[in-house]
Amino acid sequence: MGSPKLVGIVLLVVGVVLLYFGYQSSQAVGNQVAEALTGRFTDETMWHLIGGAAATAAGAFLTFMKK
């Protein structure tokens, strides 16, 4: 297994974990109230979701890239 594949797997796992925490945070009562009042999630939740999506996409690309 090459180094890019290993980095890809690590990024994929980290991305999925961040997405999980972002989802859990978005379901919290405090975050639901903030979203109802402002129309958006808190900054921390958004960073978890955005970072998780980016890390998952990059990890999937590196892991499944043909080389």
Side-chain angles (χ1 to χ4, degrees):
M1 183 181 320
S3 180
K5 278 200 189 270
L6 185 61
V7 171
I9 291 170
V10 170
L11 277 174
L12 197 58
V13 170
V14 169
V16 169
V17 169
L18 281 174
L19 284 173
Y20 172 77
F21 283 127
Y23 175 75
Q24 290 297 319
S25 178
S26 72
Q27 301 304 309
V29 174
N31 214 340
Q32 290 288 324
V33 171
E35 197 249 334
L37 294 175
T38 63
R40 60 186 183 153
F41 292 118
T42 61
D43 288 343
E44 182 179 349
T45 300
M46 290 304 297
W47 281 114
H48 279 112
L49 293 172
I50 292 168
T56 301
F61 176 76
L62 289 173
T63 301
F64 301 115
M65 181 178 61
K66 299 279 187 197
K67 185 171 180 194

